[in-house]
Amino acid sequence: MAAKSTKYITVGGTAILLLFLYYLISNGCLTNPDRLELLIKSFGIMAPLFFLAIQIIQVIIPIIPGGVTCGIGIILFGPFWGFVLNYAGSMIGSIIAFMMVKRYGHDFILKFTDQSTYDKYIGWLDKGKKFDRFFAFAILVPGFPDDLLCMIAGLTKMSLKKFIFIIAACKPLALIAYSWGIKEIIMGINSLF
């Protein structure tokens, strides 16, 4: 019975996600950060929940650049709440992505990345415990494809508990760097117009 409920929740969640994604694409929100910002503001007091949903989705389906949404979070909600929403969304999305790959395997990953990018990082799986250290380092330091690596971690024997510990401990530094860096870039671009 539980497996059947999970199946319905997964199908329903996927359908909602696809409708939301279609909405974002049709309104130009994935290509224009200003439109995304206006859309989020239009939700009023529900804006934080809407933004949190965007952060979760952009981890699972990496179409929206995560760095851009992190910067927008800081601009819209300030340094503290922007960070909290960025961190919570990133954590929840990473856990969902990890669990989806645990369940569906590498085929799930290949729906969201090309074979060459996948091949570039999959070799780390053969290195045993070295993957865990590489994964922690990659999550800690900005510039690595965190979302893809969270999915690849799902192919390992890494437990959910260990995965959560690594991303909980390592993601804040990278999020702060992305959030402030992208925020400054967005503010700089906006000041030109």
Side-chain angles (χ1 to χ4, degrees):
M1 188 69 165
K4 204 170 195 178
S5 297
T6 303
K7 182 180 177 184
Y8 290 129
I9 290 169
T10 302
V11 169
T14 302
I16 291 169
L17 185 67
L18 290 173
L19 287 171
F20 178 62
L21 188 59
Y22 173 77
Y23 177 80
L24 290 176
I25 291 168
S26 65
N27 286 297
C29 294
L30 298 184
T31 55
N32 186 335
D34 292 331
R35 284 192 181 183
L36 180 60
E37 183 178 340
L38 287 172
L39 177 66
I40 292 168
K41 283 182 178 178
S42 74
F43 281 81
I45 61 170
M46 296 300 291
L49 291 177
F50 180 73
F51 180 76
L52 182 65
I54 289 173
Q55 285 299 71
I56 292 168
I57 291 166
Q58 68 85 16
V59 172
I60 301 166
I61 302 175
I63 296 173
I64 304 170
V68 172
T69 56
C70 285
I72 289 171
I74 297 296
I75 292 168
L76 290 178
F77 304 108
F80 178 76
W81 287 111
F83 173 77
V84 168
L85 291 168
N86 285 333
Y87 184 62
S90 179
M91 288 289 296
I92 294 167
S94 295
I95 292 166
I96 292 170
F98 177 82
M99 301 281 290
M100 294 293 284
V101 173
K102 282 281 189 198
R103 179 169 177 100
Y104 298 110
H106 76 279
D107 290 339
F108 181 81
I109 299 171
L110 290 173
K111 292 189 185 308
F112 304 108
T113 192
D114 59 82
Q115 187 71 45
S116 63
T117 305
Y118 174 81
D119 291 342
K120 180 178 176 181
Y121 293 100
I122 200 68
W124 280 93
L125 292 184
D126 299 332
K127 300 185 193 289
K129 291 282 185 193
K130 287 185 179 179
F131 175 79
D132 294 0
R133 289 191 290 272
F134 168 73
F135 177 66
F137 175 77
I139 297 300
L140 180 67
V141 177
F144 284 93
D146 295 6
D147 304 335
L148 173 62
L149 291 171
C150 287
M151 290 182 188
I152 288 175
L155 296 174
T156 69
K157 293 180 181 177
M158 185 183 294
S159 69
L160 178 60
K161 185 177 178 181
K162 185 173 189 177
F163 175 80
I164 291 172
F165 175 78
I166 290 172
I167 61 171
C170 297
K171 260 203 192 285
L173 182 62
L175 272 177
I176 289 168
Y178 276 127
S179 299
W180 286 102
I182 298 297
K183 175 197 154 258
E184 292 302 316
I185 291 169
I186 291 170
M187 298 299 278
I189 291 170
N190 284 342
S191 71
L192 296 174
F193 299 101

